[in-house]
Amino acid sequence: MSNSLFAASAADLTIERIRALAARPDQVESLTLEFKREYSFSLVKTIAAMANTYGGMILVGINDKAEPGVERVVGVDAQETIDKIASTCSEKLDPPWEPTFFTVPFEDGSGRSVVVIRVDPNVAPRPLLIDLKAPIRLSGQNSTADRDRLLKLAREEPSVGVLPMGQNVMSPRMNQDSEGRATEDFVLRTGINLPMGEAGAWRPLSERSVSAFAQALNDSPFPDALRTLGHSSFSQSTGFRRLGHNRSRTARLVFQAISSAPVQHPVEAVVTVALPEVYGSTSTALMATVTIDVIARVRRYADSIEAEQDYRYPVPNLADLLDGLLQTFVDPIVVTEIARIADIDTALVGQPRELHLVADRQVKELLHPTGLREIPDAGASAGGVFRANPSLDLRVAAERQEQVDDWLRQLGLDAGLTGMEDLVESYRAKTTPGT
């Protein structure tokens, strides 16, 4: 679920963030988001529908549609609204169940608030019925589950998760040569998990869809970030195209830097789309995965051409790489192509929330030492797992930058180094307009 307010803590739910969400021209009602002016019975039906599908968030006190000159965020009497919703949930839902409520007050002393309702399908007793029917969400509106969908909901194992809230990805492995030595400087991996639509669950990958996804990647900020990481080690690259293990339900798109040195590919990126095998499965929680691996060999390239100095990766280059990586995952065109492959609403394409780094040596030996100081007896680190702040919306440049900076600070401290915080602040001061 891409909307960061779904995962935000109560302290991070502010009226400013809600107004910003409502004001976004691209933020319309979807499978997982709905605006309500005030309480109505249809609101409770939407709660049941979201619980029976992918979950979501309902904001009460916001006009359904944005109109020129009309304030969209109008607010409600929070306690009265919550009491009405809770009472109707108890009376009409079978079995009785309540979602989570948050009150976000206006700061003008009016006493009005926006009521945020979070519907988590992983804790709801599915199927939730109203008048012996199971509402579901389809394309931003409510519908009714047919017999097959209702049977699948009823047969679900209680332990089966519906949405991959953590967006966990498997840690990468480094390749080795015939003598067991690593062939890369480091591998960086992130990714997302996706629910599958009805058609996406059974059909093979479309060649056109995969080609469109490759083109979206080539047009994204990612290739420029990879060139920055390469640090002039190459002048040509292939762009993303199919290479290696590609099957009817797996696509592997590879970007390769091209060098005439013994290390032919100083930088590579591998984007893998894997659809689940569904034959014989009765689960309603089938998940696809999209992972990105960045494979760096610039240090090995420098060694192969007998560079005068031992190459170390500059921290600004890593900052640009991380920002380009995250920016690509939230790029509207990239998101649209991912959603098309999985046959789902773009609102269900999550943001990456986990980053893995595996290196061939201690991280402090990979980083350029300028501005960094080693902590005595701090121990060794050859990588790590970096979690993202779920309350940050990575579509927003300032929040994406905050996440990148947090990861860099963690990278430095885990490597037993101080000075990363000042180094990052100095870099931002040079690159941020108006500073």
Side-chain angles (χ1 to χ4, degrees), residues 13-174:
L13 287 171
T14 63
I15 197 64
E16 289 81 8
R17 293 192 71 178
I18 289 175
R19 290 187 191 278
L21 174 69
R24 287 180 64 97
D26 61 338
Q27 192 64 74
V28 297
E29 292 184 327
S30 66
L31 281 174
T32 58
L33 178 67
E34 183 146 316
F35 301 114
K36 290 290 187 182
R37 170 63 180 84
E38 57 192 359
Y39 165 82
S40 66
F41 176 71
S42 66
L43 189 155
V44 176
K45 187 175 181 181
T46 298
I47 291 173
M50 286 183 172
N52 288 331
T53 315
Y54 298 116
M57 185 170 64
I58 307 168
L59 303 182
V60 189
I62 300 181
N63 285 315
D64 293 3
K65 298 179 180 179
E67 298 180 10
V70 178
E71 176 59 49
R72 193 175 189 188
V73 182
V74 294
V76 292
D77 182 317
Q79 193 57 57
E80 178 184 355
T81 300
I82 292 174
D83 288 345
K84 288 180 179 179
I85 298 170
S87 176
T88 307
C89 285
S90 177
E91 293 175 5
K92 294 295 185 180
L93 294 185
D94 181 17
W97 180 76
E98 290 182 18
T100 303
F101 300 100
F102 295 90
T103 298
V104 185
F106 285 16
E107 296 178 344
D108 58 4
S110 65
R112 300 184 73 77
S113 305
V114 171
V115 174
V116 178
I117 305 172
R118 285 183 183 164
V119 182
D120 188 344
N122 294 316
V123 299
R126 293 151 57 102
L128 270 178
L129 305 181
I130 294 181
D131 297 329
L132 301 179
K133 296 180 180 180
I136 57 173
R137 293 286 284 178
L138 291 175
S139 302
Q141 61 185 6
N142 298 332
S143 185
T144 301
D146 59 18
R147 181 176 182 275
D148 181 62
R149 185 69 169 268
L150 183 58
L151 287 174
K152 285 185 177 181
L153 285 167
R155 291 170 179 167
E156 269 185 348
E157 294 292 334
S159 61
V160 173
V162 178
L163 271 176
M165 297 299 181
Q167 294 293 358
N168 298 59
V169 294
M170 296 291 290
S171 180
R173 292 184 178 181
M174 302 193 72

Side-chain angles (χ1 to χ4, degrees), residues 76 125 282 417:
V76 292
T282 60
L417 300 169

Side-chain angles (χ1 to χ4, degrees), residues 197 246 344:
N246 282 265
I344 57 173

Side-chain angles (χ1 to χ4, degrees), residues 31 54 192-206 209-210 213 249 273-276 278 286-290 334-346 348-350:
L31 281 174
Y54 298 116
I192 57 174
N193 302 311
L194 303 162
M196 294 296 297
E198 295 290 341
W202 57 261
R203 71 185 178 196
L205 283 165
S206 160
S209 293
V210 173
F213 182 39
R249 301 187 68 77
V273 179
L275 305 187
V278 298
L286 296 169
M287 294 293 164
T289 60
V290 180
V334 172
V335 168
T336 297
E337 296 305 330
I338 292 174
R340 182 174 289 118
I341 288 172
D343 188 42
I344 57 173
D345 191 289
T346 55
L348 295 177
V349 179

